[in-house]
Amino acid sequence: MAEKTLTDDLMITVTEALNEEKWTRATLNNYTVRNFEEIDKMLEQVFEAGLEDDVNEACDEHLQHTRNSIIALYLSGVIHLRRQVVDDANLVQLITIFTDNRKWGIVEFLAERILEFGANKFALRTLADCYSGENQAEKLHAVWEQLIRVDFEEADIVRSLAEQKEKDGAINEAVDYYKKALHRYIAKKNFNAVKEVWHRLIQYAPEETEFFYHAESKIAKSLSEERAVQLLEDLYPHFKKTEKWERAVHILKRVLAYDSKNPWARKEIMDCYRKLYENHSQLEEFIKISNLSQSWRNVHDAISDFEKHISFDAGSFVFHRAWGVGLIKAVNADTVTIDFARKRDHQMSLKMAVSALETLPKEHIWVLRSAIKKERLKEKIKTNIAWALRTVIRSCGNAADMKHIKAELVPHILTASEWSSWSTKARQILKTNQQFGNLSDRMDFYVVREQPITYEEKVYNSFKAAKGMFDRVGLLYEYIDHVDKEEKTGPDSDLFREMFDYFVAYLRNPTAVNELVIGSFLVVKDVVRRYPYLNPGIDLDFRNLFEQIENVDDLFRAIDESTLRRQFLREVRQNVPEWPSHFTLLFPNHLSRDIIGELERHGKTSELARIHANVFGNYRDMREAFVWIVRNCLQDNWIKELDVDYEKVLIGMIHILDLTARDIDSRKDVSENRKLNKQVHAYLFKDGHLTRFLDAADEDSVGRIFNLVSDVKELDPSLVIELKQRVLDRFPDFRFYGRQEKEVVSRGFIVTSKSYEEKQKQLKHIHEVDVPNNSKEISEALSHGDLRENAEYKAAKERQDMLNTTAARLTEELDRAQIVRPNDVDNSTVTFGTKVTLKNLETNVTDVFTVMGPWESDPEHGVISYLSPLGNELYNRKQGEECQFEINETPYHYLVEKIEVASF
């Protein structure tokens, strides 16, 4: 009661404050910061009492008839900001009122109040105006630095900051700001500003050619190729002056790529070649042969011919596909003399050499393999992985993926096992080392950079090279996670803004709402939730988009990213009144608690019942959904209330075990079927669900289940024999229809002492050697991050599954194993450890088989397992007995002539 009284009193106080306020210019002039501090005290009481909704509603009502109420605008505005609502219109209006009345102290207070809740472009610009009017340069620059991190279109302030840093002598920081300004001016298509900043960067950072080339490419696309050429021509003189001829040639090639008829570039490139190869004996001759100086010849063909010829000189290495690596001894007129390993002083014409040989730099991996002893080269490659990567990538034309790198190292230098651990470390270096980047259109191809590349640029390049929208989602979040780890206030990079704008573009007037539009909406909404200042000004209304989707089920299946799928379900749940029916439809395509849990929490029993009826009634076509429910939901209250027949559940699982085995055998969706087969097998046998049912069910149910299990394709016969013995233990007179009655092999797993010791050693090696090595491989692979593209991690996890499965099987078999020695064998019937001689009564051919166990089985040498189809048929036969049977539709007719104890 007392609490209610306090609440009522507080609302009365707020209402009285609103009603007593007089909107006059005199009131406005009398306002000070202290007045707002008093309102803040009232707000704290409001928040403590949980009255935000009531106060906000009172303010909205008050503003309908008093639209410039200072108290109402302030109360409502702060409540909105505290709730992280993007709408800051009330506080913006309030700032405008006091700005018009030149109350700068209050304007500054209000702007800073907004910034307490996060970055805000309007508030920062307001503060900048305040500090500019007050000539507070230091504060102004600090606000500018915040502003350019949230306003990605602002270029002039960035340039002003660069000029200030330049003036202060902080050249490195000035360069960073000039780079940012350049990108923004390019986006604004302001060529005059672009050119001015370009010249500043030439002055302070001319060697950063990778940056210039990236900017030049953007200029060519957004402005014109002519503008790009103009800027390259301005960059070229630095490298000519400093006599860095290779880079000068590269710039001129880029100019000619835009304008192949450019006479200035053609003349300059000839001059550069003359300087670069001034000591080459055939320089002028090769310029003449290539017709580089002749304007009628295509300049690109002429350059290609010249560079191919000029590479032939004494001391250069060459490669012939039959003779391997050779060293040019001399080039005289039209004759080239070459030393190959097995063909010394070999001579050929220059024309033949150019067409038949590939010139190699002395650092080429093929040259190193031929010139350095293998062990020495291997040691260097293993100890200096970064050097090895640089060498191989450059040897592949400065573009190579892991497949090409492996081809150059294995088996020539590294063994396959050495490659496994080496490549894991190499991938980490390629991802983190600033010397390595990616091709712009192939993110799996690596290049060696002339200048170091930042992490941001690596992610951006991968983003640009990614093939689809959903691949780009992971890269965007990878960058955001990196920002969060560095504890930054948010992404402040222009490259990030380009990545973000990629998704925003899908939301601007979409012609149809497909998975790309919905996926982009989910990304944009999530990023704006994290960083409100990035709001692109688009109406992020999920309900409106959802109503335009033609087929929700098809669209959901097309969202190829698990995080976005969960976000989609969350939006449906929060914004679509008919969400339960949609969840029911979508469940088979999203097997997780996201759907089942929400339906159960909200008591949607009829929808859960429909899911059950649909999946269980069509389990052959909905195998994954059926197995998921059986493994994860059978103990849930909702499914217990449906009174599910557990025998039918097991029948479904056994059928799926058989169906998946047959599909695997037919090579149909092998990976999916193998995964499902493994899950069902584990549920039935490893987890003991099948044996527990057989131990408790009635005889008719046991018979139905056993007959189904015994017909499963490729099932381990020992499992069937064990189940059979289990049935007989409960029902001694049980008849197994369609099968010849035999004495049943005991539950034990019969082996020889030699096999037992070998399997013990194998299990010990797995636990002590293979598992630790595999754990190390997984740890190293995990350190690379981005598991979607991490082949080493996937391979290591697959090996872990294999090792775990093998170890579990060996442990189980060793526990069940019964060791039989020759003295234990009774040769009165065909049993384990006997050698049986059979006469084929159809062909009169004599066959001899030694009957052992699965561990000793060697059919090619006549050793068969007692668990094999043939071993099972022969088991317990006596000497002189005639037997007929059929295996895999092949008839057999034998007479048992002799049974003796085998040697083992």
Side-chain angles (χ1 to χ4, degrees), residues 417 760-778 799-800 802-804 807:
S417 60
Q760 280 185 315
K761 291 178 182 178
Q762 183 181 347
L763 181 61
K764 183 178 181 181
H765 189 274
I766 289 173
H767 285 309
E768 296 181 1
V769 179
D770 294 338
V771 169
N773 288 343
N774 177 246
S775 298
K776 185 177 179 182
E777 289 173 357
I778 292 174
R799 178 161 172 76
Q800 183 186 58
M802 184 271 291
L803 289 172
N804 289 339

Side-chain angles (χ1 to χ4, degrees), residues 60 72 412 428 449 468 529 547 714 795:
D60 288 345
H412 312 288
Q428 180 67 9
R449 301 257 307 195
R529 177 187 61 79
E547 290 173 350
E714 303 296 336

Side-chain angles (χ1 to χ4, degrees), residues 262-278:
N262 189 313
W264 170 84
R266 188 166 191 147
K267 176 183 177 301
E268 288 294 324
I269 204 168
M270 277 194 296
D271 292 343
C272 289
Y273 280 141
R274 285 190 169 99
K275 292 292 185 181
L276 182 60
Y277 300 109
E278 59 185 357

Side-chain angles (χ1 to χ4, degrees), residues 554-674:
D554 288 346
L555 181 141
F556 185 73
R557 277 189 278 117
I559 298 176
D560 190 21
E561 216 281 332
S562 58
T563 303
L564 293 187
R565 284 188 166 201
R566 285 192 291 273
Q567 291 180 18
F568 179 84
L569 292 173
R570 186 164 58 248
E571 291 289 338
V572 171
R573 166 71 188 85
Q574 294 172 352
N575 297 286
V576 181
E578 308 82 15
W579 69 268
S581 61
H582 289 295
F583 271 35
T584 304
L585 178 70
L586 297 176
F587 171 74
N589 298 313
H590 188 73
L591 304 175
S592 80
R593 287 285 179 186
D594 297 337
I595 289 178
I596 296 296
E598 282 295 307
L599 291 172
E600 190 173 13
R601 275 192 295 276
H602 291 85
K604 304 298 180 181
T605 54
S606 59
E607 284 79 5
L608 288 166
R610 277 200 294 274
I611 287 176
H612 166 263
N614 183 33
V615 173
F616 279 52
N618 301 282
Y619 70 85
R620 286 179 174 84
D621 297 323
M622 305 176 76
R623 302 176 192 178
E624 286 186 66
F626 179 82
V627 172
W628 189 90
I629 290 178
V630 171
R631 295 176 68 223
N632 295 280
C633 300
L634 284 189
Q635 300 306 312
D636 290 0
N637 290 330
W638 70 271
I639 207 163
K640 287 181 178 178
E641 292 172 2
L642 295 174
D643 197 23
V644 176
D645 185 338
Y646 189 59
E647 181 181 339
K648 290 183 178 179
V649 170
L650 290 179
I651 289 172
M653 293 291 271
I654 295 166
H655 277 162
I656 290 174
L657 187 69
D658 185 54
L659 290 170
T660 52
R662 294 179 187 279
D663 283 347
I664 292 169
D665 192 52
S666 302
R667 310 305 298 170
K668 179 181 177 183
D669 299 327
V670 174
S671 59
E672 292 85 353
N673 278 302
R674 184 172 286 132

